[in-house]
Amino acid sequence: MDGLDAGIAEVRGWLAAARGVAVLTGAGVSAESRIPTFRTSPEELDGFVDDDEDGGAWDSMKALWARFDPATLATPEAYRRDPAMVSRWYDWRRVMCLRAEPNPGHLALAALQRAVEGRGGRFGLITQNVDGLHQRAGSTGVIELHGSIHAWRGIESGRAAAFGEGPIGEYPPTVPGSDEIARPGVVWFGEMLPDAAVRSAAAVTDEADVFLTIGTSAEVYPAAGFIGRARDAGAKTVEVNPEATAASREVDVVLRGAGGEVMPKLVSRAV
Ligand code: BV8
């Protein structure tokens, strides 16, 4: 049995005995659903979205990705500076998320929740992702620390603005029935995280016997801080990631592999 298999066997034992399980996910769990992460390079982008699907929007967005570090677009300043460009970028991502499908990693996490809760345990899924794929995979009570790319709202009134499955087509978009500019319901860099989400994340973390961190570089705070919080609360901590991260040295076990490959092995024959 190689190191990864041995690690999976050990963590499976922990999960089977756990009363409380908490999970923190990042963009890496959606990479296998062909949604680029913030670290996906422009060269890698071609593998993520087919050109013809986007009828040319793809090229302009790819140029945007090449020209700007996504983190510099994910700010209130960028939206104030160029609402048309930034809202087009978010709408392109929104449509990409709608077209994406949950992958085996998402599905395994939903199965893990059913297994833990089915035996009376407590389960919490904390995500940094804004794509909604955990919910579409069947996870419930998902804690969206960074909001949702599907929940646009008026920049003054906060009124919800619902858009269809295709590109909005007007940038910046307005709240339907009004001329109020709408913004994506995500948390930008420099913005506070939703209080309720942070409190829920802290609660499930403090109750966890096992804390899994999957597909995150563990570099964005305060989200990444939940890994150390879990460890300090006495949880066994596990990282699932094909690459080393800022948290690799602080967790108990590193499962060096893709979420879509490792998670089904962790959860097969429901723990
Ligand atoms: C805030 C929504 C108060 C938008 C995002 C200390 C404390 C508090 C704040 C800070 C602090 N230090 C710095 C800050 C400020 C800042 C921050 O953390 N900056 C970083 C760059 C250092 N934090 C904030 O501004 C937060 N607000 O704290 O308010 C405040 C304000 C100002 C100053 C102080 C305090 C708000 C942060 C939220 C930003 N919004 N998303 C959008 O999506 O457009 S963040 C966004 O980027 C994502 O949500 C995600 O969180 C982050 C990217 O991180 P990851 O998800 O980890 O993805 P990444 O691309 O980095 O890595 C992918 C990983 O997947 C890799 O490890 C890769 O190996 C792995 N992978 C790849 N394939 C697979 C895989 N894993 C598994 N399987 C695979 N197949």
Side-chain angles (χ1 to χ4, degrees):
M1 188 186 293
D2 70 12
L4 178 58
D5 288 342
I8 287 172
E10 183 174 29
V11 175
R12 280 176 56 83
W14 293 353
L15 289 172
R19 288 184 316 285
V21 174
V23 183
L24 172 69
T25 64
V29 299
S30 294
E32 288 159 89
S33 297
R34 303 202 317 160
I35 293 180
T37 79
F38 273 32
R39 281 155 218 288
T40 303
S41 68
E43 301 67 45
E44 292 168 311
L45 275 177
D46 285 332
F48 278 86
V49 177
D50 304 329
D51 292 23
D52 56 0
E53 268 181 25
D54 291 81
W58 161 246
D59 290 335
S60 60
M61 289 301 112
K62 185 182 168 188
L64 211 49
W65 206 288
R67 220 163 78 229
F68 294 99
D69 168 358
T72 60
L73 293 179
T75 65
E77 295 74 25
Y79 205 74
R80 272 195 293 277
R81 193 172 50 246
D82 191 340
M85 182 261 277
V86 175
S87 58
R88 179 191 292 273
W89 183 64
Y90 271 96
D91 190 35
W92 171 71
R93 290 176 59 200
R94 177 185 72 92
V95 172
M96 188 194 309
C97 293
L98 288 170
R99 288 181 182 160
E101 290 300 326
N103 66 61
H106 293 112
L107 296 169
L109 283 169
L112 178 59
Q113 175 175 14
R114 290 191 293 271
V116 171
E117 293 181 343
R119 61 173 191 246
R122 289 177 310 284
F123 182 90
L125 174 55
I126 310 161
T127 189
Q128 301 171 84
N129 300 340
V130 298
D131 56 38
L133 288 181
H134 284 305
Q135 293 90 328
R136 286 177 47 200
S139 294
T140 58
V142 177
I143 301 166
E144 293 181 314
L145 286 182
H146 295 161
S148 169
I149 205 162
H150 305 294
W152 292 57
R153 63 175 190 265
I155 57 171
E156 303 297 335
S157 67
R159 273 187 306 155
F163 299 117
E165 301 273 315
I168 300 170
E170 167 202 39
Y171 305 102
T174 52
V175 176
S178 86
D179 56 4
E180 181 185 13
I181 287 181
R183 59 161 284 177
V186 301
V187 178
W188 279 324
F189 286 100
E191 292 188 321
M192 301 296 284
L193 274 58
D195 267 348
V198 173
R199 279 200 303 275
S200 300
V204 299
T205 299
D206 292 347
E207 292 179 335
D209 303 311
V210 179
F211 187 95
L212 306 176
T213 169
I214 311 169
T216 179
S217 57
E219 295 190 6
V220 173
Y221 282 82
F226 287 106
I227 302 167
R229 183 177 181 128
R231 189 201 53 233
D232 296 347
K236 293 188 175 73
T237 51
V238 183
E239 173 182 85
V240 178
N241 196 312
E243 294 172 19
T245 76
S248 297
R249 276 201 293 275
E250 69 176 287
V251 298
D252 295 306
V253 168
V254 168
L255 302 179
R256 192 59 75 225
E261 172 210 336
V262 171
M263 287 315 298
K265 289 178 182 169
L266 271 189
V267 185
S268 62
R269 293 190 303 285
V271 286

